[in-house]
Amino acid sequence: VQLVESGGGLAQPGGSLRLSCATSGFPFDAYAIGWIRQAPGKEREWISCISARNVKPLHAASVMGRFTTHRDSARSTVALQMNSLKPEDTAVYYCAADIQGTCGSYSWRISNYNFWGQGTQVTVSS
């Protein structure tokens, strides 16, 4: 099982980045995919979930209206488009897979996620 994040880096406040999560080794179409981030000195924070059936994704209030999540079943990848970035978005961003396959009020629970990537660093600074 592999989840590999890419696309992180340095962005200016107000800028954009697009993260990608490439997956392999498990039935992608059966799993929901979440994005979770961890800022220095803080606990992991759930930020988005997209279901196995690609129903409208859910986003945390802290990123709603700025971040969007997209799923490509043909490529077994999930993208996180991040716009209007703020310094407080600085964190390591992880993608993770949830066998439940759906997203809901429970998606914020980090323990739901079965498989994790290694993370990609996003730094927002001028």
Side-chain angles (χ1 to χ4, degrees):
V1 173
Q2 275 198 315
L3 295 91
V4 180
E5 303 91 342
S6 61
L10 176 64
Q12 292 192 340
S16 298
L17 284 174
R18 187 176 179 90
L19 305 185
S20 182
C21 173
T23 74
S24 62
F26 65 96
F28 178 77
D29 289 341
Y31 282 71
I33 303 294
W35 284 94
I36 296 100
R37 67 186 180 186
Q38 187 166 23
K42 295 189 176 180
E43 294 186 352
R44 290 188 176 184
E45 175 194 13
W46 169 80
I47 56 172
S48 83
C49 176
I50 188 163
S51 69
R53 294 180 63 187
N54 205 10
V55 176
K56 184 178 179 181
L58 301 180
H59 295 88
S62 58
V63 305
M64 201 174 299
R66 300 188 297 121
F67 291 11
T68 56
T69 305
H70 307 274
R71 186 178 185 114
D72 185 340
S73 291
R75 293 187 171 91
S76 298
T77 60
V78 173
L80 181 69
Q81 178 66 42
M82 306 188 296
N83 299 327
S84 302
L85 284 163
K86 303 176 181 181
E88 52 263 43
D89 294 319
T90 295
V92 177
Y93 283 71
Y94 301 89
C95 61
D98 179 0
I99 186 57
Q100 294 185 85
T102 58
C103 302
S105 60
Y106 46 84
S107 293
W108 62 271
R109 295 192 188 101
I110 304 303
S111 59
N112 284 350
Y113 297 93
N114 308 97
F115 308 129
W116 290 74
Q118 291 301 305
T120 186
Q121 176 70 47
V122 170
T123 302
V124 184
S125 175
S126 55

